[in-house]
């Protein structure tokens, strides 16, 4: 079942201890997963191709998308994430985009599903405070 196929009756409870880390680069997913662990959370690492299946049975507290060189690597997941957020009735799960560009989701013309943008290179000093802030607001 795709996340977009879930009806209100099929709502899953968000697990705020888990963070879905999605990206084509397995190296970047490992780096991001280590930063997520430093925040005391459990990372679940998936490629963009397998992430939709993972979202069918899990509502993480946050999703971190590695946009790749053009910020488009995970665009196929945005409609499913939007459906999850609409089903929850709130802006959960929180979504962080790892981008080659610096700015806000609005200034970069990104989907309204994106809550925060963290510019690459990925470092704990840049990413961990954003994870803590977004997951902490839940």
């Amino acid at each position: 079942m795709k996340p977009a196929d879930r009806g209100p009756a099929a709502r899953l409870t968000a697990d705020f201890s888990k963070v879905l880390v999605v990206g084509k680069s397995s190296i970047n997913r490992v780096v991001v997963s280590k930063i997520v662990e430093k925040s005391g959370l459990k990372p679940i690492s998936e490629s963009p191709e397998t992430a939709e299946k993972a979202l069918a049975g899990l509502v993480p507290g946050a999703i971190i998308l590695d946009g790749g060189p053009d910020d488009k690597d995970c665009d196929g997941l945005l409609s499913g994430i939007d459906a999850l957020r609409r089903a929850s009735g709130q802006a959960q799960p929180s979504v962080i985009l790892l981008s080659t560009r610096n700015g806000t989701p609005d200034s970069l013309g990104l989907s309204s599903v994106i809550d925060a943008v963290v510019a690459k290179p990925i470092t704990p000093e840049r990413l961990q405070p954003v994870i803590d802030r977004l997951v902490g607001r839940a």
Side-chain angles (χ1 to χ4, degrees), residues 7-31:
R11 289 185 185 165
L12 293 175
T13 304
D15 185 343
F16 295 104
S17 68
K18 295 183 179 168
V19 175
L20 182 62
V21 178
V22 183
K24 287 186 177 179
S25 167
S26 59
I27 294 170
N28 283 357
R29 290 195 319 254
V30 168
V31 169

Side-chain angles (χ1 to χ4, degrees), residues 103-112 114 117:
T104 66
D106 289 337
S107 72
L108 297 175
L110 299 171
S111 166
S112 62
I114 307 296
V117 176

Side-chain angles (χ1 to χ4, degrees), residues 5-70:
D5 295 338
R6 291 186 194 156
R11 289 185 185 165
L12 293 175
T13 304
D15 185 343
F16 295 104
S17 68
K18 295 183 179 168
V19 175
L20 182 62
V21 178
V22 183
K24 287 186 177 179
S25 167
S26 59
I27 294 170
N28 283 357
R29 290 195 319 254
V30 168
V31 169
V32 172
S33 292
K34 294 293 184 193
I35 295 169
V36 168
E37 287 174 345
K38 285 183 178 182
S39 291
L41 302 167
K42 183 178 187 287
I44 299 166
S45 177
E46 297 285 345
S47 70
E49 296 77 27
T50 60
E52 190 166 335
K53 184 177 179 185
L55 282 172
L58 165 75
V59 179
I63 301 172
I64 300 175
L65 304 173
D66 182 350
D70 60 0

Side-chain angles (χ1 to χ4, degrees), residues 58-131:
L58 165 75
V59 179
I63 301 172
I64 300 175
L65 304 173
D66 182 350
D70 60 0
D71 293 338
K72 305 248 181 252
D73 282 4
C74 298
D75 279 3
L77 296 171
L78 295 178
S79 64
I81 294 169
D82 186 43
L84 273 178
R85 289 168 70 131
R86 278 186 277 122
S88 75
Q90 21 182 323
Q92 294 298 331
S94 299
V95 181
I96 300 168
L97 176 69
L98 305 177
S99 176
T100 55
R101 301 179 294 163
N102 200 4
T104 66
D106 289 337
S107 72
L108 297 175
L110 299 171
S111 166
S112 62
V113 172
I114 307 296
D115 295 306
V117 176
V118 176
K120 294 178 182 178
I122 305 162
T123 64
E125 296 79 21
R126 288 183 184 183
L127 182 56
Q128 195 166 357
V130 176
I131 294 170

